[in-house]
Amino acid sequence: MRTHYCGQLNASLIDQTVTLCGWAHRRRDHGGVIFIDLRDRAGLAQVVCDPDRAEMFALAESVRNEFVLRVTGKVRHRPAGTVNANLASGEIEILCHELEILNPAVTPPFSLDDDNLSENVRLTHRVIDLRRPQMQKNLMLRYRTTMAFRRFLDANGFIDIETPMLTKSTPEGARDYLVPSRVQPGQFFALPQSPQLFKQLLMVAGFDRYYQIVKCFRDEDLRADRQPEFTQVDIETSFMDEQQIMALMEAMIRTVFEETLAVELPNPFPRMSYAEAMQRYGSDKPDLRVTLELVDVTDAVADVAFKVFSGPASSGGRVAALRIPNGASLTRSEIDGYAEFVKIYGAKGLAYIKVNDASKLNEEGLQSPIVKNLHAAALKAIVERTGAQSGDLIFFGADKTKIVNDAIGALRIKLGHEKGYLNGKAWEPLWVVDFPMFEYDEEGKRWNACHHPFTAPKAGHEDFLATDPGRCLAKAYDLALNGSEIGGGSVRIHREEVQSKVFRALGIGAEEARLKFGFLLDALKYGAPPHGGLAFGLDRIVTMMTGAESIRDVIAFPKTQRAQCLLTDAPSPVDEKQLRELHIRLRQKVETQVEVGKS
Amino acid sequence: MRTHYCGQLNASLIDQTVTLCGWAHRRRDHGGVIFIDLRDRAGLAQVVCDPDRAEMFALAESVRNEFVLRVTGKVRHRPAGTVNANLASGEIEILCHELEILNPAVTPPFSLDDDNLSENVRLTHRVIDLRRPQMQKNLMLRYRTTMAFRRFLDANGFIDIETPMLTKSTPEGARDYLVPSRVQPGQFFALPQSPQLFKQLLMVAGFDRYYQIVKCFRDEDLRADRQPEFTQVDIETSFMDEQQIMALMEAMIRTVFEETLAVELPNPFPRMSYAEAMQRYGSDKPDLRVTLELVDVTDAVADVAFKVFSGPASSGGRVAALRIPNGASLTRSEIDGYAEFVKIYGAKGLAYIKVNDASKLNEEGLQSPIVKNLHAAALKAIVERTGAQSGDLIFFGADKTKIVNDAIGALRIKLGHEKGYLNGKAWEPLWVVDFPMFEYDEEGKRWNACHHPFTAPKAGHEDFLATDPGRCLAKAYDLALNGSEIGGGSVRIHREEVQSKVFRALGIGAEEARLKFGFLLDALKYGAPPHGGLAFGLDRIVTMMTGAESIRDVIAFPKTQRAQCLLTDAPSPVDEKQLRELHIRLRQKVETQVEVGKS
């Protein structure tokens, strides 16, 4: 029906007759002439309707915003002085010869130019919201990103193999979405949290290199950057070790950024051990754009009079200092704000020292009520290790290690971005490696897998599985970008006896392992190749690429934080007949409202 | 870890040292030398282990089938007389220098060369089954097919946009898979039967050209070619009419077949109206490879004495003849077999006439007990219209039109393929167009949509919506290939008032329409462009391309006909805690076994 997209028109088409289809983005009447900005997915074009074509002009007068139009006309230069440099088609306009109203439109619920809409309004009227140029750009970029992934993977011999959506519930990890079976009464499918086991089975089956851009599901209470269904770029390969996998995967990310954003990422990506990342940044996905660093002073304050420090320092906790260059200029209320902020992470307070004179390691040079309770050696260590200069400020975290890392790590990010302690780079990728295999669950008195139970132990660490699980490191790697984890993976266990040892370390007995993972253990016995892989969070990567505030801005039809679709009103009640067919009933006394997280 | 895939090796690599990784497909000891056929996804390579490298040889002696190996050696010509022309690498072999057993394997449950395995065994040990070269080829071809679709669609401006998997239940059409909501007690998501409404909304949102290769779900009792989850190549475009859409889509199918199979399909695809297809082939997806045709004789037998014909012919039914050239040679037991066969489709019998002498329209020339009850005009019409020659046989179907079409249409296919009434072409695509909008549901005493309720009526047929729904044709089109429907679609309704008329014709009141489809009706009001699209069944297309017997042979991890995954044992019972969180319980008295179709 058209010859061109609106946004494609330019001066090279002068004097040509074109036909466009699109939406009346704006109509203006000016000097007896009607101007219609016609919009399609490629952009805007200005259509000029002269009154000398009376019938067409009468029709143009009836056009309102969002009418669907078909316009045929001649491309001409805009009059001098009316060129719009912001538009691709800003040099030209179309003198309308024929106008057809393909569909009228009622007045939309909001203007597409309104940038202050509540998310509820946007999601309720998602179809209109998706017309906004930013949303069009976001979803186009998402598409170009997925195609860049596919092209790279295809060129490297990876093949897309679909894995089941209706699969088996394995209640470790996050909560499953369940699907009642009609044919097998009382039984349920689960929607996959990831195709992890299937992709490993595909390696055992000999497909060598697998990928899939695939929906995954987690029924968890939603944070800002989570959705009940999300999309992974899921990858697995055989006969490559972790170094080769990381090298190939970072080449892919570089290619994707180059092709979609024309951004050149570093080559190679830097790598850092988990231990170092926690030590220096309090995070396993440090934002390297922020120049501030945590400095450990635990050993130096183990015996000071100040119990807030010596308590944790002498009982397995951590005391970390965060030097803020020129931070002495922070106001009292700013500092109070940060002290409030760290409480979110469980910190009980936020001690600090203003460095008035770095050469005087006493209450004269170091301004803080805590200084008198720190001995000279401690003060010396603090100033030396942080490299504090006169005019700086030093924040402290002192608590259990996890609380210190979470709180001071988060403070580092917040303060770094708010106050501009940044290295000026737009993109800072980082591989974090040498993760521990297990973390201890104090409540459950058991070891949990840090990554997942199919991750291989680091070479030489296999014996720790039985003797000292806490010391056992994993062949796992996460890719952090600007402080977000955008991907993660590992080399997997390919020998059945190692997999059984890991299950034992996790307290999963032989019988339970057979029941839940029998098909995996069998597969490992039938000739499993060495293999490993990775999954990237597509929604998050595209969110970062577009600079969107929320992953909901890069998903066409997202759910709210209460996991609802405001557009279609899902979930919704269903017929009793449907439930009967599925052999389930609602619980007798269903409260009509429950708080998220309490159910 | 490797330098080449096994199947890539050829004589151009003579004297080069290569490293291969793969599985020991077969080990033979011959003349003091060990031969290992090493297998990877690209094929086989013959590895020769000489006893002069003692350590390596000892290792090679321990190798059993399906061990995972890494082999380094030198490529050399096979000795004269041992070249294997069936293998890509059949001219060469690798003289093994180094051998590493990456993983041993227990004896597999069956030999990969065994072609007589039950499907249950194959699906239970799917990982081993997937190693079979045919399954590797099938899934590779599936991948290449999807990539060919993507490339074509990408080149034509279509963009892949993901639509939700957790969506709203709309109980018309097939049965939904339901997903209980944890956050909204008593409410349910449904897994999509297709992204139909979402893709229409994307058109209203202005994305112009959409595609998605996407999982869809139907909880129906399974036939041989159905799966609970199946994959659609789902497409929608704005501002194109049905002619343009069909032209583009058939170009896509041609391109896909050309790129993946090097097959040249006709250009253009032939088109046939639904009415003609039913008349001539008794099917809306006729297999044009079969040269037999149904011939209508209803009018000619309305008043014959033979009640089996005159009954249906005089009361709105159909009497159709199927001429079988040289069919007089069919044996009595063959004919009895066909008579049994048509009963599947509801036919009560299978009348026939043997044409002994086509010039004698009486019991002498036409051999059949029914001839004496057919008058001369009827016999003349039968012989003339079918073009029967001496030595032919004519089968008859006489019943309600649907039964005749189903039964004689199926007989046409079966007999055509069994007895070779074929035109010799490998691929016969056909567009079937001008479908009726509605079919009358005798039980429910109401009109149902033939395609779906969002299909636009044919130009000029809009008034029939209110006056005579049965006469109303649709802007719908199906693509049949060799007698299978591989795709179907339509131009959609883009005006709210037309959509409302269709809902009325379907007996869906304004209130119900608003409740179920309010978001669609709203979208149509806010400036919906003319749009239409299509969905192709990927599983079925790839099944046909590979010549597989079942779509389960082109799906990595399919379900059985009882919708179970024998590999992972899904569905399975879940914890009571999980059900409690979802506000559901099992029905008190769940029978442990119900028949499919009875629940």
Short mmCIF file of all heavy atoms in Angstrom, two decimals, chain A residues 14-56:
data_model
loop_
_atom_site.label_atom_id
_atom_site.label_comp_id
_atom_site.label_asym_id
_atom_site.label_seq_id
_atom_site.Cartn_x
_atom_site.Cartn_y
_atom_site.Cartn_z
N ILE A 14 13.28 14.21 -4.05
CA ILE A 14 12.60 15.44 -4.50
C ILE A 14 11.95 15.22 -5.87
O ILE A 14 12.55 14.62 -6.76
CB ILE A 14 13.62 16.61 -4.59
CG1 ILE A 14 14.15 16.97 -3.20
CG2 ILE A 14 13.00 17.84 -5.28
CD1 ILE A 14 13.17 17.64 -2.28
N ASP A 15 10.71 15.68 -5.97
CA ASP A 15 9.93 15.61 -7.22
C ASP A 15 9.37 14.23 -7.51
O ASP A 15 8.65 14.04 -8.50
CB ASP A 15 10.73 16.08 -8.45
CG ASP A 15 10.86 17.59 -8.43
OD1 ASP A 15 10.02 18.25 -7.78
OD2 ASP A 15 11.82 18.10 -9.05
N GLN A 16 9.69 13.26 -6.66
CA GLN A 16 9.08 11.94 -6.87
C GLN A 16 7.72 11.87 -6.18
O GLN A 16 7.48 12.54 -5.17
CB GLN A 16 9.98 10.83 -6.32
CG GLN A 16 11.23 10.64 -7.15
CD GLN A 16 11.96 9.37 -6.80
OE1 GLN A 16 11.35 8.40 -6.35
NE2 GLN A 16 13.27 9.37 -7.00
N THR A 17 6.86 11.04 -6.74
CA THR A 17 5.56 10.80 -6.11
C THR A 17 5.69 9.59 -5.20
O THR A 17 6.20 8.54 -5.62
CB THR A 17 4.49 10.56 -7.18
OG1 THR A 17 4.36 11.75 -7.96
CG2 THR A 17 3.15 10.22 -6.54
N VAL A 18 5.28 9.76 -3.96
CA VAL A 18 5.40 8.68 -2.99
C VAL A 18 4.03 8.42 -2.37
O VAL A 18 3.16 9.29 -2.37
CB VAL A 18 6.41 9.02 -1.86
CG1 VAL A 18 7.81 9.21 -2.43
CG2 VAL A 18 5.97 10.24 -1.07
N THR A 19 3.86 7.19 -1.88
CA THR A 19 2.66 6.87 -1.11
C THR A 19 3.11 6.40 0.27
O THR A 19 3.99 5.55 0.40
CB THR A 19 1.85 5.77 -1.81
OG1 THR A 19 1.47 6.23 -3.10
CG2 THR A 19 0.59 5.44 -1.01
N LEU A 20 2.50 7.02 1.28
CA LEU A 20 2.86 6.72 2.66
C LEU A 20 1.64 6.20 3.40
O LEU A 20 0.51 6.56 3.08
CB LEU A 20 3.35 7.99 3.37
CG LEU A 20 4.47 8.77 2.68
CD1 LEU A 20 4.72 10.08 3.42
CD2 LEU A 20 5.75 7.93 2.64
N CYS A 21 1.87 5.36 4.38
CA CYS A 21 0.80 4.93 5.29
C CYS A 21 1.26 5.20 6.71
O CYS A 21 2.43 4.97 7.03
CB CYS A 21 0.51 3.44 5.15
SG CYS A 21 -0.23 2.98 3.58
N GLY A 22 0.35 5.66 7.55
CA GLY A 22 0.76 5.90 8.93
C GLY A 22 -0.31 6.59 9.73
O GLY A 22 -1.48 6.64 9.34
N TRP A 23 0.13 7.13 10.84
CA TRP A 23 -0.77 7.76 11.80
C TRP A 23 -0.59 9.28 11.79
O TRP A 23 0.55 9.76 11.66
CB TRP A 23 -0.48 7.23 13.20
CG TRP A 23 -1.00 5.84 13.40
CD1 TRP A 23 -2.14 5.48 14.04
CD2 TRP A 23 -0.38 4.61 12.98
NE1 TRP A 23 -2.30 4.11 14.02
CE2 TRP A 23 -1.23 3.54 13.38
CE3 TRP A 23 0.79 4.30 12.28
CZ2 TRP A 23 -0.93 2.22 13.11
CZ3 TRP A 23 1.08 2.98 12.00
CH2 TRP A 23 0.22 1.95 12.42
N ALA A 24 -1.69 9.99 11.93
CA ALA A 24 -1.61 11.45 12.05
C ALA A 24 -1.07 11.77 13.43
O ALA A 24 -1.77 11.66 14.44
CB ALA A 24 -3.00 12.06 11.86
N HIS A 25 0.21 12.10 13.46
CA HIS A 25 0.85 12.35 14.75
C HIS A 25 0.42 13.71 15.29
O HIS A 25 0.20 13.88 16.49
CB HIS A 25 2.36 12.31 14.56
CG HIS A 25 3.13 12.32 15.85
ND1 HIS A 25 3.07 11.29 16.75
CD2 HIS A 25 3.97 13.25 16.39
CE1 HIS A 25 3.86 11.58 17.79
NE2 HIS A 25 4.40 12.76 17.60
N ARG A 26 0.28 14.65 14.36
CA ARG A 26 -0.12 16.00 14.73
C ARG A 26 -0.76 16.64 13.51
O ARG A 26 -0.33 16.39 12.38
CB ARG A 26 1.12 16.82 15.14
CG ARG A 26 0.94 17.60 16.42
CD ARG A 26 2.23 18.31 16.77
NE ARG A 26 3.14 17.51 17.60
CZ ARG A 26 4.31 17.03 17.20
NH1 ARG A 26 4.74 17.24 15.96
NH2 ARG A 26 5.06 16.34 18.03
N ARG A 27 -1.76 17.46 13.72
CA ARG A 27 -2.34 18.22 12.61
C ARG A 27 -2.30 19.69 12.98
O ARG A 27 -2.71 20.06 14.08
CB ARG A 27 -3.78 17.78 12.37
CG ARG A 27 -4.34 18.28 11.05
CD ARG A 27 -5.85 18.18 11.01
NE ARG A 27 -6.44 19.51 11.21
CZ ARG A 27 -7.74 19.74 11.24
NH1 ARG A 27 -8.61 18.75 11.12
NH2 ARG A 27 -8.20 20.97 11.41
N ARG A 28 -1.78 20.47 12.09
CA ARG A 28 -1.77 21.93 12.34
C ARG A 28 -2.39 22.63 11.14
O ARG A 28 -2.17 22.23 9.98
CB ARG A 28 -0.32 22.43 12.50
CG ARG A 28 0.28 22.18 13.87
CD ARG A 28 1.78 22.30 13.79
NE ARG A 28 2.37 21.29 12.90
CZ ARG A 28 3.22 21.55 11.92
NH1 ARG A 28 3.61 22.79 11.67
NH2 ARG A 28 3.69 20.57 11.17
N ASP A 29 -3.16 23.68 11.41
CA ASP A 29 -3.71 24.50 10.34
C ASP A 29 -2.96 25.82 10.39
O ASP A 29 -2.88 26.46 11.44
CB ASP A 29 -5.21 24.75 10.55
CG ASP A 29 -5.99 23.44 10.55
OD1 ASP A 29 -5.38 22.38 10.81
OD2 ASP A 29 -7.20 23.47 10.29
N HIS A 30 -2.39 26.20 9.27
CA HIS A 30 -1.53 27.38 9.29
C HIS A 30 -1.65 28.07 7.95
O HIS A 30 -1.34 27.48 6.91
CB HIS A 30 -0.08 26.95 9.57
CG HIS A 30 0.84 28.13 9.74
ND1 HIS A 30 0.78 28.96 10.84
CD2 HIS A 30 1.84 28.60 8.96
CE1 HIS A 30 1.71 29.90 10.72
NE2 HIS A 30 2.36 29.70 9.58
N GLY A 31 -2.15 29.29 7.97
CA GLY A 31 -2.26 30.06 6.73
C GLY A 31 -3.14 29.39 5.70
O GLY A 31 -2.82 29.37 4.51
N GLY A 32 -4.24 28.80 6.17
CA GLY A 32 -5.17 28.18 5.23
C GLY A 32 -4.72 26.85 4.70
O GLY A 32 -5.38 26.24 3.85
N VAL A 33 -3.60 26.39 5.19
CA VAL A 33 -3.06 25.11 4.73
C VAL A 33 -3.06 24.15 5.93
O VAL A 33 -2.87 24.59 7.06
CB VAL A 33 -1.61 25.30 4.19
CG1 VAL A 33 -0.96 23.96 3.87
CG2 VAL A 33 -1.64 26.21 2.98
N ILE A 34 -3.28 22.86 5.66
CA ILE A 34 -3.25 21.87 6.75
C ILE A 34 -1.94 21.09 6.67
O ILE A 34 -1.59 20.56 5.61
CB ILE A 34 -4.45 20.92 6.66
CG1 ILE A 34 -5.76 21.69 6.88
CG2 ILE A 34 -4.33 19.79 7.69
CD1 ILE A 34 -7.00 20.86 6.67
N PHE A 35 -1.24 21.05 7.80
CA PHE A 35 -0.01 20.26 7.91
C PHE A 35 -0.30 19.03 8.76
O PHE A 35 -0.82 19.15 9.86
CB PHE A 35 1.12 21.06 8.57
CG PHE A 35 1.56 22.24 7.76
CD1 PHE A 35 0.95 23.48 7.90
CD2 PHE A 35 2.61 22.12 6.85
CE1 PHE A 35 1.35 24.57 7.16
CE2 PHE A 35 3.03 23.21 6.10
CZ PHE A 35 2.40 24.45 6.25
N ILE A 36 0.02 17.88 8.23
CA ILE A 36 -0.12 16.65 9.01
C ILE A 36 1.25 16.01 9.14
O ILE A 36 1.92 15.74 8.14
CB ILE A 36 -1.09 15.65 8.32
CG1 ILE A 36 -2.49 16.27 8.22
CG2 ILE A 36 -1.14 14.34 9.09
CD1 ILE A 36 -3.46 15.45 7.37
N ASP A 37 1.68 15.80 10.39
CA ASP A 37 2.89 15.01 10.60
C ASP A 37 2.47 13.55 10.59
O ASP A 37 1.76 13.10 11.50
CB ASP A 37 3.54 15.35 11.95
CG ASP A 37 4.24 16.69 11.90
OD1 ASP A 37 4.49 17.21 10.80
OD2 ASP A 37 4.53 17.25 12.98
N LEU A 38 2.86 12.86 9.56
CA LEU A 38 2.48 11.46 9.44
C LEU A 38 3.57 10.60 10.05
O LEU A 38 4.76 10.79 9.78
CB LEU A 38 2.27 11.10 7.96
CG LEU A 38 1.51 9.80 7.70
CD1 LEU A 38 0.07 9.90 8.16
CD2 LEU A 38 1.56 9.45 6.21
N ARG A 39 3.16 9.65 10.88
CA ARG A 39 4.12 8.85 11.64
C ARG A 39 4.02 7.37 11.26
O ARG A 39 2.92 6.81 11.14
CB ARG A 39 3.82 8.98 13.14
CG ARG A 39 4.85 8.31 14.07
CD ARG A 39 4.37 8.26 15.51
NE ARG A 39 3.30 7.30 15.64
CZ ARG A 39 2.08 7.58 16.07
NH1 ARG A 39 1.74 8.81 16.45
NH2 ARG A 39 1.15 6.63 16.14
N ASP A 40 5.15 6.75 11.06
CA ASP A 40 5.18 5.29 11.02
C ASP A 40 6.38 4.83 11.83
O ASP A 40 7.02 5.64 12.51
CB ASP A 40 5.19 4.76 9.57
CG ASP A 40 6.41 5.19 8.78
OD1 ASP A 40 7.45 5.51 9.40
OD2 ASP A 40 6.32 5.22 7.54
N ARG A 41 6.70 3.55 11.76
CA ARG A 41 7.73 3.06 12.68
C ARG A 41 9.11 3.63 12.37
O ARG A 41 10.00 3.59 13.20
CB ARG A 41 7.77 1.53 12.70
CG ARG A 41 8.52 0.89 11.55
CD ARG A 41 8.63 -0.61 11.74
NE ARG A 41 9.55 -1.19 10.78
CZ ARG A 41 9.65 -2.49 10.52
NH1 ARG A 41 8.87 -3.34 11.14
NH2 ARG A 41 10.52 -2.94 9.65
N ALA A 42 9.27 4.16 11.16
CA ALA A 42 10.58 4.71 10.80
C ALA A 42 10.73 6.18 11.15
O ALA A 42 11.85 6.70 11.15
CB ALA A 42 10.82 4.50 9.31
N GLY A 43 9.64 6.85 11.44
CA GLY A 43 9.75 8.27 11.81
C GLY A 43 8.58 9.09 11.31
O GLY A 43 7.50 8.54 11.03
N LEU A 44 8.81 10.40 11.18
CA LEU A 44 7.76 11.34 10.80
C LEU A 44 8.02 11.94 9.42
O LEU A 44 9.17 12.05 9.00
CB LEU A 44 7.71 12.51 11.81
CG LEU A 44 7.30 12.19 13.25
CD1 LEU A 44 7.51 13.42 14.14
CD2 LEU A 44 5.83 11.76 13.30
N ALA A 45 6.93 12.30 8.76
CA ALA A 45 7.07 13.08 7.52
C ALA A 45 5.96 14.13 7.52
O ALA A 45 4.84 13.87 7.97
CB ALA A 45 6.93 12.18 6.29
N GLN A 46 6.30 15.30 7.02
CA GLN A 46 5.32 16.39 7.00
C GLN A 46 4.53 16.36 5.70
O GLN A 46 5.10 16.43 4.60
CB GLN A 46 6.04 17.72 7.16
CG GLN A 46 5.11 18.93 7.08
CD GLN A 46 5.81 20.19 7.54
OE1 GLN A 46 6.14 20.34 8.72
NE2 GLN A 46 6.07 21.10 6.62
N VAL A 47 3.21 16.27 5.84
CA VAL A 47 2.32 16.24 4.68
C VAL A 47 1.59 17.58 4.61
O VAL A 47 1.03 18.04 5.62
CB VAL A 47 1.31 15.08 4.81
CG1 VAL A 47 0.32 15.10 3.65
CG2 VAL A 47 2.04 13.74 4.88
N VAL A 48 1.61 18.19 3.44
CA VAL A 48 0.98 19.50 3.26
C VAL A 48 -0.28 19.34 2.42
O VAL A 48 -0.24 18.80 1.30
CB VAL A 48 1.94 20.46 2.55
CG1 VAL A 48 1.30 21.85 2.41
CG2 VAL A 48 3.26 20.55 3.29
N CYS A 49 -1.42 19.76 2.96
CA CYS A 49 -2.69 19.66 2.25
C CYS A 49 -3.15 21.07 1.86
O CYS A 49 -3.52 21.87 2.73
CB CYS A 49 -3.74 18.99 3.12
SG CYS A 49 -3.25 17.33 3.67
N ASP A 50 -3.12 21.35 0.57
CA ASP A 50 -3.50 22.66 0.05
C ASP A 50 -5.00 22.69 -0.22
O ASP A 50 -5.57 21.70 -0.69
CB ASP A 50 -2.77 22.92 -1.28
CG ASP A 50 -1.46 23.63 -1.06
OD1 ASP A 50 -1.23 24.15 0.05
OD2 ASP A 50 -0.64 23.64 -2.02
N PRO A 51 -5.62 23.83 -0.01
CA PRO A 51 -7.07 23.91 -0.25
C PRO A 51 -7.44 23.83 -1.72
O PRO A 51 -8.62 23.66 -2.04
CB PRO A 51 -7.46 25.27 0.36
CG PRO A 51 -6.20 26.04 0.49
CD PRO A 51 -5.08 25.06 0.58
N ASP A 52 -6.47 23.94 -2.64
CA ASP A 52 -6.86 23.89 -4.05
C ASP A 52 -7.36 22.53 -4.51
O ASP A 52 -7.97 22.41 -5.57
CB ASP A 52 -5.73 24.40 -4.97
CG ASP A 52 -4.44 23.65 -4.75
OD1 ASP A 52 -4.43 22.73 -3.89
OD2 ASP A 52 -3.44 23.97 -5.40
N ARG A 53 -7.07 21.48 -3.72
CA ARG A 53 -7.73 20.18 -3.97
C ARG A 53 -8.85 20.06 -2.95
O ARG A 53 -8.65 19.55 -1.85
CB ARG A 53 -6.75 19.04 -3.82
CG ARG A 53 -5.76 18.92 -4.97
CD ARG A 53 -4.83 17.75 -4.77
NE ARG A 53 -4.11 17.39 -5.97
CZ ARG A 53 -2.99 17.99 -6.39
NH1 ARG A 53 -2.48 19.01 -5.71
NH2 ARG A 53 -2.40 17.59 -7.51
N ALA A 54 -10.04 20.49 -3.33
CA ALA A 54 -11.09 20.75 -2.35
C ALA A 54 -11.53 19.47 -1.62
O ALA A 54 -11.67 19.47 -0.40
CB ALA A 54 -12.29 21.40 -3.04
N GLU A 55 -11.71 18.40 -2.38
CA GLU A 55 -12.23 17.18 -1.76
C GLU A 55 -11.23 16.62 -0.76
O GLU A 55 -11.57 16.27 0.37
CB GLU A 55 -12.47 16.15 -2.87
CG GLU A 55 -13.41 15.03 -2.49
CD GLU A 55 -13.56 14.02 -3.63
OE1 GLU A 55 -13.34 14.43 -4.80
OE2 GLU A 55 -13.87 12.86 -3.34
N MET A 56 -9.97 16.57 -1.21
CA MET A 56 -8.91 16.09 -0.34
C MET A 56 -8.79 16.98 0.90
O MET A 56 -8.64 16.50 2.02
CB MET A 56 -7.59 16.06 -1.14
CG MET A 56 -6.38 15.57 -0.40
SD MET A 56 -5.60 16.85 0.59
CE MET A 56 -4.92 17.90 -0.70
#
